[in-house]
Amino acid sequence: MRIVFMGSAGLAVPALRAVMRNGADEVVGVVSQPDRPAGRKRVLTPCPLKAFAEGEGFEVMTPEKIGDPDSVAALAALKPDLFIVVAYGQYIPQRVIGLAPFEAINVHPSLLPKYRGSAPIQWAILNGDAETGVSIIYLAKKMDAGDILRQETYPLGSDETSATLHDKLSVLGAELLLKAIDDIRNGTVVRTAQDESLAVEIRKLSKDDGKIDWSRSAEAIRNRIRAFDPWPGSFCTLPNGEVLKIWKAELEEGAGNPGQLLDDRL
């Protein structure tokens, strides 16, 4: 099949690499986000997927809006059979999806319909879930609400952070994606509608979410520290006004007021 791959974040890199190396299909185009200012000097920097794709010799399309007439025309010229979308960051309208006979599929790092929206990896850890996973779905008008092609669970360890879980789910997603593509190619797809009564919509995280509320339980605080590694990070303010960043915490038996320092050696 002729595949157009759309992605931006690092989560998408293993998926594109897997499709490229699979040998059964041809990646005829890659679409990503425009370069954005990054760092203290605000230097224009490509996103991880674009940087990887250019390193592999692709000429990457970076439209500000994927649904603009020029973008749609450029995609139509590629004559795609299938769109693959992984952490792209733009809503893809039906006029784009309809260009491909096999439509568009998305790799989402959660067990949909749970955790629709951005940051599903963080929210699974934040809520202390025992498991999460990856879902391969068709794109639909409603974000993350399309029919499920394949889904696989992943057990969450007590020491898992968003950083470690991101890398594991990106690999799992790439493996599951290849199986879904085979299903499409072989005409063996089983489409399962999501149960709307079980849908969990999540909001985008902000830097302020990293501020520790010491009135929460110790377990809840530890989950937040794990969930917010590496971003937005967890922090609190010391009595002298300095900001203390906290990257790891362990649960121990003890008694004291919220936020009280129990060991004066620290």
Side-chain angles (χ1 to χ4, degrees):
M1 288 189 294
R2 293 173 62 83
I3 291 174
V4 171
F5 192 99
M6 300 180 177
S8 297
L11 186 79
V13 172
L16 176 56
R17 183 187 292 116
V19 175
M20 288 169 48
R21 295 180 179 176
N22 187 38
D25 304 288
E26 180 185 4
V27 179
V28 297
V30 177
V31 183
S32 192
Q33 298 282 18
D35 295 356
R36 306 294 188 194
R40 292 183 177 180
K41 295 185 178 180
R42 310 303 291 164
V43 177
L44 284 177
T45 304
C47 61
L49 190 279
K50 182 190 176 190
F52 170 77
E54 288 182 333
E56 295 293 325
F58 287 100
E59 184 174 342
V60 181
M61 296 173 56
T62 57
E64 285 288 352
K65 292 186 178 180
I66 192 65
D68 283 349
D70 288 346
S71 300
V72 175
L75 291 171
L78 296 174
K79 299 180 179 179
D81 294 312
L82 175 70
F83 290 107
I84 294 174
V85 183
V86 188
Y88 175 48
Q90 286 193 42
Y91 176 77
I92 301 174
Q94 186 59 44
R95 59 182 172 275
V96 172
I97 296 173
L99 296 174
F102 294 110
E103 304 177 30
I105 60 175
N106 171 244
V107 181
H108 187 81
S110 81
L111 296 176
L112 291 169
K114 194 173 187 180
Y115 301 143
R116 292 177 178 174
S118 61
I121 292 175
Q122 288 93 328
W123 281 98
I125 297 175
L126 183 65
N127 290 335
D129 291 358
E131 65 178 15
T132 185
V134 174
S135 303
I136 310 293
I137 63 171
Y138 280 101
L139 291 193
K141 289 184 178 180
K142 186 175 181 181
M143 190 73 70
D144 299 330
D147 292 349
I148 298 172
L149 291 83
R150 280 185 173 261
Q151 194 169 73
E152 189 166 332
T153 61
Y154 176 83
L156 273 171
S158 61
D159 292 328
E160 203 81 68
T161 68
S162 288
T164 61
L165 185 57
H166 171 280
D167 293 346
K168 293 172 182 177
L169 293 187
S170 67
V171 173
L172 178 61
E175 295 171 351
L176 199 61
L177 174 62
L178 294 183
K179 295 178 182 178
I181 295 173
D182 283 341
D183 291 340
I184 293 172
R185 183 186 298 108
N186 298 329
T188 57
V189 171
V190 177
R191 298 179 68 142
T192 303
Q194 295 187 38
D195 186 342
E196 289 297 318
S197 69
L198 300 177
V200 177
E201 308 282 349
I202 53 175
R203 63 173 175 81
K204 186 177 181 179
L205 296 173
S206 70
K207 192 167 183 61
D208 289 341
D209 286 311
K211 185 175 182 179
I212 296 175
D213 178 357
W214 295 108
S215 67
R216 298 177 183 269
S217 70
E219 183 177 6
I221 291 173
R222 182 174 183 269
N223 286 344
R224 295 178 76 84
I225 292 171
R226 293 191 298 124
F228 298 154
D229 176 8
W231 194 90
S234 296
F235 64 93
C236 65
T237 304
L238 299 176
N240 62 5
E242 293 184 8
V243 174
L244 175 66
K245 294 184 178 180
I246 301 174
W247 296 106
K248 187 175 181 179
E250 299 294 340
L251 300 179
E252 293 186 0
E253 292 294 331
N257 297 320
Q260 180 183 355
L261 188 63
L262 300 180
D263 189 338
D264 58 11
R265 294 173 301 175
L266 298 179

